[in-house]
PDB file of all heavy atoms in Angstrom:
ATOM      1  N   ARG A 486      64.042-113.280  -4.876  1.00  0.00           N
ATOM      2  CA  ARG A 486      64.767-112.028  -4.670  1.00  0.00           C
ATOM      3  C   ARG A 486      65.437-111.535  -5.931  1.00  0.00           C
ATOM      4  O   ARG A 486      65.526-110.345  -6.193  1.00  0.00           O
ATOM      5  CB  ARG A 486      65.811-112.192  -3.570  1.00  0.00           C
ATOM      6  CG  ARG A 486      65.211-112.400  -2.182  1.00  0.00           C
ATOM      7  CD  ARG A 486      66.244-112.309  -1.072  1.00  0.00           C
ATOM      8  NE  ARG A 486      67.271-113.338  -1.158  1.00  0.00           N
ATOM      9  CZ  ARG A 486      68.572-113.080  -1.374  1.00  0.00           C
ATOM     10  NH1 ARG A 486      69.007-111.860  -1.492  1.00  0.00           N
ATOM     11  NH2 ARG A 486      69.437-114.069  -1.454  1.00  0.00           N
ATOM     12  N   LYS A 487      65.975-112.486  -6.692  1.00  0.00           N
ATOM     13  CA  LYS A 487      66.667-112.074  -7.909  1.00  0.00           C
ATOM     14  C   LYS A 487      66.170-112.894  -9.090  1.00  0.00           C
ATOM     15  O   LYS A 487      66.131-114.119  -9.039  1.00  0.00           O
ATOM     16  CB  LYS A 487      68.176-112.286  -7.755  1.00  0.00           C
ATOM     17  CG  LYS A 487      68.834-111.280  -6.854  1.00  0.00           C
ATOM     18  CD  LYS A 487      70.312-111.537  -6.733  1.00  0.00           C
ATOM     19  CE  LYS A 487      70.611-112.699  -5.805  1.00  0.00           C
ATOM     20  NZ  LYS A 487      72.067-112.880  -5.624  1.00  0.00           N
ATOM     21  N   LEU A 488      65.808-112.188 -10.137  1.00  0.00           N
ATOM     22  CA  LEU A 488      65.334-112.848 -11.341  1.00  0.00           C
ATOM     23  C   LEU A 488      66.115-112.297 -12.516  1.00  0.00           C
ATOM     24  O   LEU A 488      66.181-111.085 -12.713  1.00  0.00           O
ATOM     25  CB  LEU A 488      63.828-112.582 -11.526  1.00  0.00           C
ATOM     26  CG  LEU A 488      63.157-113.180 -12.775  1.00  0.00           C
ATOM     27  CD1 LEU A 488      63.297-114.695 -12.807  1.00  0.00           C
ATOM     28  CD2 LEU A 488      61.688-112.781 -12.815  1.00  0.00           C
ATOM     29  N   GLU A 489      66.714-113.188 -13.296  1.00  0.00           N
ATOM     30  CA  GLU A 489      67.450-112.735 -14.472  1.00  0.00           C
ATOM     31  C   GLU A 489      66.999-113.560 -15.672  1.00  0.00           C
ATOM     32  O   GLU A 489      66.975-114.792 -15.620  1.00  0.00           O
ATOM     33  CB  GLU A 489      68.964-112.824 -14.254  1.00  0.00           C
ATOM     34  CG  GLU A 489      69.432-114.119 -13.651  1.00  0.00           C
ATOM     35  CD  GLU A 489      70.916-114.111 -13.299  1.00  0.00           C
ATOM     36  OE1 GLU A 489      71.493-113.040 -13.031  1.00  0.00           O
ATOM     37  OE2 GLU A 489      71.488-115.211 -13.312  1.00  0.00           O
ATOM     38  N   ILE A 490      66.653-112.841 -16.719  1.00  0.00           N
ATOM     39  CA  ILE A 490      66.057-113.466 -17.895  1.00  0.00           C
ATOM     40  C   ILE A 490      66.735-112.932 -19.143  1.00  0.00           C
ATOM     41  O   ILE A 490      66.951-111.714 -19.249  1.00  0.00           O
ATOM     42  CB  ILE A 490      64.556-113.109 -17.971  1.00  0.00           C
ATOM     43  CG1 ILE A 490      63.828-113.614 -16.721  1.00  0.00           C
ATOM     44  CG2 ILE A 490      63.921-113.709 -19.220  1.00  0.00           C
ATOM     45  CD1 ILE A 490      62.400-113.147 -16.631  1.00  0.00           C
ATOM     46  N   ARG A 491      67.036-113.823 -20.065  1.00  0.00           N
ATOM     47  CA  ARG A 491      67.550-113.347 -21.345  1.00  0.00           C
ATOM     48  C   ARG A 491      66.921-114.144 -22.477  1.00  0.00           C
ATOM     49  O   ARG A 491      66.666-115.352 -22.340  1.00  0.00           O
ATOM     50  CB  ARG A 491      69.075-113.439 -21.388  1.00  0.00           C
ATOM     51  CG  ARG A 491      69.612-114.841 -21.287  1.00  0.00           C
ATOM     52  CD  ARG A 491      71.066-114.924 -21.719  1.00  0.00           C
ATOM     53  NE  ARG A 491      71.222-114.663 -23.131  1.00  0.00           N
ATOM     54  CZ  ARG A 491      72.397-114.598 -23.733  1.00  0.00           C
ATOM     55  NH1 ARG A 491      73.508-114.752 -23.043  1.00  0.00           N
ATOM     56  NH2 ARG A 491      72.468-114.360 -25.028  1.00  0.00           N
ATOM     57  N   ASP A 492      66.654-113.479 -23.563  1.00  0.00           N
ATOM     58  CA  ASP A 492      66.175-114.145 -24.778  1.00  0.00           C
ATOM     59  C   ASP A 492      64.940-115.004 -24.548  1.00  0.00           C
ATOM     60  O   ASP A 492      64.914-116.191 -24.900  1.00  0.00           O
ATOM     61  CB  ASP A 492      67.312-115.006 -25.370  1.00  0.00           C
ATOM     62  CG  ASP A 492      68.442-114.142 -25.869  1.00  0.00           C
ATOM     63  OD1 ASP A 492      68.324-113.656 -27.009  1.00  0.00           O
ATOM     64  OD2 ASP A 492      69.418-113.901 -25.123  1.00  0.00           O
ATOM     65  N   CYS A 493      63.926-114.404 -23.943  1.00  0.00           N
ATOM     66  CA  CYS A 493      62.660-115.102 -23.757  1.00  0.00           C
ATOM     67  C   CYS A 493      61.540-114.216 -24.286  1.00  0.00           C
ATOM     68  O   CYS A 493      61.644-112.997 -24.247  1.00  0.00           O
ATOM     69  CB  CYS A 493      62.418-115.377 -22.275  1.00  0.00           C
ATOM     70  SG  CYS A 493      63.639-116.482 -21.546  1.00  0.00           S
ATOM     71  N   PRO A 494      60.441-114.818 -24.749  1.00  0.00           N
ATOM     72  CA  PRO A 494      59.368-114.021 -25.341  1.00  0.00           C
ATOM     73  C   PRO A 494      58.423-113.449 -24.290  1.00  0.00           C
ATOM     74  O   PRO A 494      57.211-113.630 -24.371  1.00  0.00           O
ATOM     75  CB  PRO A 494      58.649-115.046 -26.213  1.00  0.00           C
ATOM     76  CG  PRO A 494      58.849-116.340 -25.502  1.00  0.00           C
ATOM     77  CD  PRO A 494      60.214-116.264 -24.869  1.00  0.00           C
ATOM     78  N   PHE A 495      58.984-112.789 -23.303  1.00  0.00           N
ATOM     79  CA  PHE A 495      58.171-112.206 -22.232  1.00  0.00           C
ATOM     80  C   PHE A 495      58.025-110.721 -22.505  1.00  0.00           C
ATOM     81  O   PHE A 495      58.996-110.040 -22.811  1.00  0.00           O
ATOM     82  CB  PHE A 495      58.829-112.412 -20.863  1.00  0.00           C
ATOM     83  CG  PHE A 495      59.041-113.859 -20.487  1.00  0.00           C
ATOM     84  CD1 PHE A 495      60.115-114.218 -19.687  1.00  0.00           C
ATOM     85  CD2 PHE A 495      58.174-114.845 -20.914  1.00  0.00           C
ATOM     86  CE1 PHE A 495      60.317-115.552 -19.321  1.00  0.00           C
ATOM     87  CE2 PHE A 495      58.366-116.179 -20.558  1.00  0.00           C
ATOM     88  CZ  PHE A 495      59.440-116.526 -19.755  1.00  0.00           C
ATOM     89  N   GLY A 496      56.786-110.238 -22.366  1.00  0.00           N
ATOM     90  CA  GLY A 496      56.531-108.854 -22.739  1.00  0.00           C
ATOM     91  C   GLY A 496      56.109-107.982 -21.578  1.00  0.00           C
ATOM     92  O   GLY A 496      56.331-108.285 -20.420  1.00  0.00           O
ATOM     93  N   ASP A 497      55.454-106.898 -21.963  1.00  0.00           N
ATOM     94  CA  ASP A 497      55.100-105.866 -20.998  1.00  0.00           C
ATOM     95  C   ASP A 497      54.062-106.298 -19.981  1.00  0.00           C
ATOM     96  O   ASP A 497      54.134-105.916 -18.815  1.00  0.00           O
ATOM     97  CB  ASP A 497      54.544-104.652 -21.746  1.00  0.00           C
ATOM     98  CG  ASP A 497      55.558-104.085 -22.722  1.00  0.00           C
ATOM     99  OD1 ASP A 497      56.774-104.227 -22.471  1.00  0.00           O
ATOM    100  OD2 ASP A 497      55.139-103.485 -23.728  1.00  0.00           O
ATOM    101  N   LYS A 498      53.069-107.015 -20.429  1.00  0.00           N
ATOM    102  CA  LYS A 498      51.905-107.274 -19.573  1.00  0.00           C
ATOM    103  C   LYS A 498      52.244-107.897 -18.228  1.00  0.00           C
ATOM    104  O   LYS A 498      51.824-107.379 -17.193  1.00  0.00           O
ATOM    105  CB  LYS A 498      50.891-108.148 -20.315  1.00  0.00           C
ATOM    106  CG  LYS A 498      50.028-107.376 -21.284  1.00  0.00           C
ATOM    107  CD  LYS A 498      48.732-108.101 -21.583  1.00  0.00           C
ATOM    108  CE  LYS A 498      48.370-107.930 -23.059  1.00  0.00           C
ATOM    109  NZ  LYS A 498      48.168-109.212 -23.715  1.00  0.00           N
ATOM    110  N   PRO A 499      52.969-108.999 -18.210  1.00  0.00           N
ATOM    111  CA  PRO A 499      53.221-109.615 -16.907  1.00  0.00           C
ATOM    112  C   PRO A 499      54.078-108.723 -16.010  1.00  0.00           C
ATOM    113  O   PRO A 499      53.964-108.768 -14.792  1.00  0.00           O
ATOM    114  CB  PRO A 499      53.967-110.908 -17.251  1.00  0.00           C
ATOM    115  CG  PRO A 499      54.501-110.708 -18.609  1.00  0.00           C
ATOM    116  CD  PRO A 499      53.603-109.763 -19.311  1.00  0.00           C
ATOM    117  N   LEU A 500      54.894-107.915 -16.611  1.00  0.00           N
ATOM    118  CA  LEU A 500      55.731-107.007 -15.836  1.00  0.00           C
ATOM    119  C   LEU A 500      54.856-105.984 -15.123  1.00  0.00           C
ATOM    120  O   LEU A 500      54.990-105.738 -13.923  1.00  0.00           O
ATOM    121  CB  LEU A 500      56.711-106.304 -16.777  1.00  0.00           C
ATOM    122  CG  LEU A 500      57.879-105.565 -16.138  1.00  0.00           C
ATOM    123  CD1 LEU A 500      58.763-106.533 -15.376  1.00  0.00           C
ATOM    124  CD2 LEU A 500      58.700-104.852 -17.205  1.00  0.00           C
TER     125      LEU A 500
END
Side-chain angles (χ1 to χ4, degrees):
Chain A
R486 292 190 297 116
K487 286 180 283 184
L488 179 59
E489 46 187 27
I490 300 172
R491 63 164 293 176
D492 293 277
C493 296
F495 300 149
D497 300 332
K498 280 202 218 125
L500 194 62

